[in-house]
Amino acid sequence: MLGIVLQKGDDRLLGALALQKCKDFTVYLPADDPAEPDYQAQLQFRHGNWQQVQEELVCLLEPGALPDKSFVGRILRAARRHPDFDVYHVNILGQKPFPRKASTRTIFQRCIASDAQAPLSSFVFRTPRLREKAVLRADGSLQPLSTVLACAGERPVRAVWLQKLDWTAPEGGTDPAAREALVREKLDLFRWTESFFGDDNYPLSVGDQLDLFAREVALLYPSYTPEDLKELMGSFQVAQGTMRKMRASNALKSALKQRQKNLQ
């Protein structure tokens, strides 16, 4: 009933999955992955990615995730007891838990405005819904938060009761190009959420939204000039109109001032 997609046959993850109390799941690995034979007798395997999952539910476990032995069983129990949800969420160990039912506005506020940890590995999707609503990066991989919001739509996300996931966030790259790519992806996410929520229903006030966007734009300094960043800031929907354009400019000036201070 659950398809678990792995980026690679990570021994740490495969070992954790082999210890699951509930065995009603299939592990999906890349076609060229060599790790499968080591666990052939303990796990059911197929080759493919999330688009090839045949089970009703799908979870994408990244190398930083470490599920405990009740992970699969509690997910399936939540799906059976609460079948009217398209997305389920497993809280991260050591983090403040999400509400039992979290709207897309709440998810955005927790993950973006408050920087709560909610990696893609902590969400479980109805497989047909993921195929229909997935938001892809340019390289074809899933954009995590956009995909979660799009799959949830107008319905809330249901928490998997009593279950938590041990998660180790990947270390941020020190290469300037890698750092810029992360900022650019965040800005793309902001742009996507403007269309998803719309101006009247955005989860933040206009002022908070401008401050949030400006702080991220300012991270591109000094690789980009203030003039370049001003143009970028002005491209967001929230910055349109005479008054908002002025507010956006002021928000960016404050963010750049703080950025310059941090770089000293």
Side-chain angles (χ1 to χ4, degrees):
M1 187 176 178
L2 176 64
I4 298 178
V5 181
L6 306 185
Q7 295 176 2
K8 60 180 181 178
D10 185 296
D11 280 342
R12 187 167 171 261
L13 261 176
L14 291 173
L17 293 175
L19 295 175
Q20 293 297 306
K21 291 181 180 180
C22 176
K23 304 297 183 182
D24 191 8
F25 66 96
T26 301
V27 178
Y28 287 77
L29 289 174
D32 58 352
D33 195 290
E36 180 181 333
D38 298 335
Y39 292 89
Q40 193 72 260
Q42 300 167 280
L43 296 170
Q44 178 177 323
F45 288 98
R46 288 196 182 102
H47 284 115
N49 58 26
W50 60 272
Q51 294 170 308
Q52 281 80 53
V53 168
Q54 300 176 21
E55 288 71 23
E56 180 182 349
L57 299 168
V58 55
C59 177
L60 297 93
L61 290 183
E62 300 157 292
L66 186 64
D68 65 18
K69 60 186 178 181
S70 65
F71 182 77
V72 170
R74 284 183 174 152
I75 287 172
L76 295 181
R77 183 176 65 183
R80 286 194 301 268
R81 291 183 176 180
H82 309 285
D84 296 331
F85 295 85
D86 291 317
V87 185
Y88 301 85
H89 176 251
V90 178
N91 286 305
I92 297 298
L93 188 66
Q95 295 285 308
K96 180 181 177 181
F98 277 53
R100 195 171 298 188
K101 296 179 183 179
S103 68
T104 52
R105 292 173 60 87
T106 298
I107 292 170
F108 176 86
Q109 289 165 340
R110 290 288 301 274
C111 296
I112 298 300
S114 301
D115 287 328
Q117 286 190 329
L120 186 62
S121 297
S122 66
F123 292 94
V124 180
F125 304 89
R126 295 280 175 187
T127 305
R129 185 71 170 178
L130 180 61
R131 288 201 186 104
E132 178 188 4
K133 295 293 185 179
V135 179
L136 304 180
R137 299 184 177 106
D139 64 1
S141 62
L142 291 172
Q143 207 299 326
L145 187 57
S146 299
T147 294
V148 170
L149 296 176
C151 288
E154 296 182 358
R155 297 180 181 179
V157 172
R158 177 76 196 195
V160 178
W161 190 237
L162 296 179
Q163 184 59 45
K164 294 189 177 182
L165 178 67
D166 192 349
W167 169 253
T168 303
E171 295 183 4
T174 57
D175 177 75
R179 291 199 301 268
E180 179 178 332
L182 290 174
V183 173
R184 288 287 184 180
E185 178 166 341
K186 194 78 164 285
L187 295 176
D188 287 343
L189 170 63
F190 291 162
R191 205 175 301 282
W192 184 89
T193 59
E194 286 193 299
S195 297
F196 178 76
F197 289 110
D199 190 55
D200 293 335
N201 295 308
Y202 206 81
L204 302 175
S205 69
V206 170
D208 288 343
Q209 188 178 351
L210 288 170
D211 288 343
L212 176 66
F213 289 13
R215 286 196 298 271
E216 200 69 27
V217 169
L219 293 177
L220 295 174
Y221 177 86
S223 297
Y224 293 81
T225 68
E227 290 74 20
D228 292 333
L229 300 182
K230 183 178 180 180
E231 181 178 353
L232 177 58
M233 187 70 187
S235 67
F236 289 103
Q237 293 178 23
V238 71
Q240 303 309 305
T242 303
M243 291 302 297
R244 288 192 179 189
K245 187 174 183 180
M246 292 175 58
R247 295 178 67 179
S249 179
N250 290 334
L252 181 60
K253 286 178 182 177
S254 296
L256 281 172
K257 184 177 180 180
Q258 184 61 50
R259 171 68 171 164
Q260 290 164 345
K261 182 179 179 181
N262 292 342
L263 291 173
Q264 290 177 356

